[in-house]
Amino acid sequence: DMFVKGGDSAEIIECVNEIIDNARCLEDSCKAYEVLILALYSSGKKLMAVDQALTILRKLNYPFPSQVDRQLTTDAMETTREFMTGLSIDDLIYYPLMTDELSIQTMKIMDVSLMTFYKAAPALLPLLVSQMIALTSKRGCCNESATAFAAFAFLEMSLLGHFDNAYRIGMLATSMLHHTGASKLMAR
């Protein structure tokens, strides 16, 4: 992160694109995409950051529709809410940690994409958060899972006005931070 924030963004973007172009496999390019999304976002190229996030997520088998309507957003939120219903803090203590490296890299890319989507493609944000939570439900918890839970709590409150549920999910996110050992992310 310091490299992206402290360096010349045009130079960083050029170097990262070279890494992506010369990557031998998808896994080799994941960290480069993560840095590219951050560099584009921090240099004010938010729409380009969204495009790059969508590109790598598509390659990782997490495609997004070109058109998002209210029904698609509602369906994604409802599916995520179903997973969250009945999930307790005690459940999270025993929830397995994510161990698959490609899933962890996917979560990192989704995590750095959250703010970009929020600022430049807000209609995609609920879909991104829902995909992060679905990946958590299938592959286990990681540091970025807590961010997904917190983002879902924000969406529950801001889009739907479900304050009690948002508070409960926010508490789950806080517990998840402790479970994954990511307490340093508490301020996010």
Side-chain angles (χ1 to χ4, degrees):
D1 288 7
M2 293 303 289
F3 176 65
V4 171
K5 293 175 184 165
D8 175 29
S9 61
E11 186 178 329
I12 294 167
I13 292 166
E14 183 180 327
C15 289
V16 171
N17 277 324
E18 188 173 328
I19 293 168
I20 291 169
D21 291 343
N22 292 303
R24 291 175 294 197
C25 62
L26 184 59
E27 290 84 356
D28 289 349
S29 65
C30 283
K31 183 63 178 177
Y33 270 104
E34 188 181 336
V35 171
L36 179 60
I37 294 163
L38 284 170
L40 289 167
Y41 180 81
S42 67
S43 66
K45 299 174 182 170
K46 292 173 180 61
L47 290 177
M48 288 177 67
V50 168
D51 287 341
Q52 291 303 315
L54 293 173
T55 296
I56 185 59
L57 290 171
R58 193 175 315 104
K59 289 179 182 180
L60 291 164
N61 293 319
Y62 290 91
F64 284 79
S66 56
Q67 297 274 330
V68 178
D69 61 17
R70 187 182 238 5
Q71 187 61 48
L72 189 60
T73 300
T74 301
D75 291 347
M77 293 286 291
E78 189 57 41
T79 300
T80 304
R81 192 175 306 105
E82 286 172 15
F83 168 70
M84 298 283 200
T85 301
L87 194 60
S88 70
I89 291 173
D90 289 337
D91 294 332
L92 289 178
I93 292 170
Y94 299 106
Y95 212 77
L97 294 177
M98 191 177 289
T99 57
D100 174 57
E101 192 57 39
L102 188 57
S103 295
I104 293 169
Q105 289 177 333
T106 301
M107 287 293 284
K108 288 179 182 291
I109 289 167
M110 289 177 171
D111 186 61
V112 300
S113 301
L114 282 170
M115 188 55 68
T116 302
F117 280 35
Y118 175 72
K119 294 284 189 176
L124 294 175
L125 184 63
L127 304 180
L128 177 66
V129 171
S130 293
Q131 287 191 7
M132 290 177 78
I133 293 173
L135 184 54
T136 296
S137 74
K138 292 175 189 161
R139 303 287 183 176
C141 295
C142 64
N143 295 346
E144 293 74 21
S145 299
T147 307
F149 275 55
F152 187 75
F154 167 75
L155 293 171
E156 277 283 281
M157 182 188 63
S158 64
L159 294 180
L160 304 172
H162 295 165
F163 297 100
D164 291 339
N165 199 39
Y167 176 78
R168 187 182 73 77
I169 294 167
M171 295 307 294
L172 289 173
T174 301
S175 295
M176 191 175 287
L177 282 172
H178 296 294
H179 175 60
T180 62
S183 299
K184 67 180 181 185
L185 297 176
M186 189 68 81
R188 277 184 82 191

